[in-house]
Amino acid sequence: MLPRNTYRMRTYLGSTQKVYSHFGNDYDKGHFMANATGGPLEINLFPQKRAINRGWSEDGKLYRAMEKFVAGNPGTFVFSRPVYKDFSLRPVGLEFGYLSLDGNFEVNYFPNI
């Protein structure tokens, strides 16, 4: 059985292969703001490289660690800034950051092509 939000997302939008197939078969429905941090399902989605979204690559491990920090610290200032080079849905990269507990910004760029 799939987690409830996963089931709702697949039912609402269709499978990832159906929605983002024109970008290739290595994309997931990524979230600009993770569900665990309060991000909504519908307008919060973009084609995201699977290795980043699932934490399979080194960049992906860092991305997931950042998401987990934000989820574990409610009220943390966080931002997600997509970078586009054309008019498609797919950003070429994502700048993701948050304000750490010691008042410093932790910001990283994650390629998405």
Side-chain angles (χ1 to χ4, degrees), residues 70-87:
V70 173
N73 293 281
T76 299
F77 175 82
V78 61
F79 68 90
S80 180
R81 184 180 74 91
V83 177
Y84 294 92
K85 296 240 182 203
D86 58 24
F87 293 107

Side-chain angles (χ1 to χ4, degrees), residues 17-33:
Q17 290 80 13
K18 177 182 171 187
V19 176
Y20 296 140
S21 62
H22 54 287
F23 295 119
N25 62 0
D26 58 343
Y27 285 89
D28 279 345
K29 292 178 196 151
H31 293 82
F32 288 115
M33 290 294 161

Side-chain angles (χ1 to χ4, degrees), residues 52-103:
I52 301 283
N53 190 42
R54 298 185 185 189
W56 293 347
S57 65
E58 289 305 310
D59 280 341
K61 290 174 185 162
L62 176 58
Y63 183 78
R64 295 299 297 264
M66 292 176 75
E67 284 185 323
K68 287 177 184 175
F69 174 85
V70 173
N73 293 281
T76 299
F77 175 82
V78 61
F79 68 90
S80 180
R81 184 180 74 91
V83 177
Y84 294 92
K85 296 240 182 203
D86 58 24
F87 293 107
S88 77
L89 276 202
R90 179 186 60 183
V92 295
L94 189 70
E95 189 176 59
F96 186 74
Y98 61 83
L99 188 62
S100 67
L101 299 176
D102 62 3

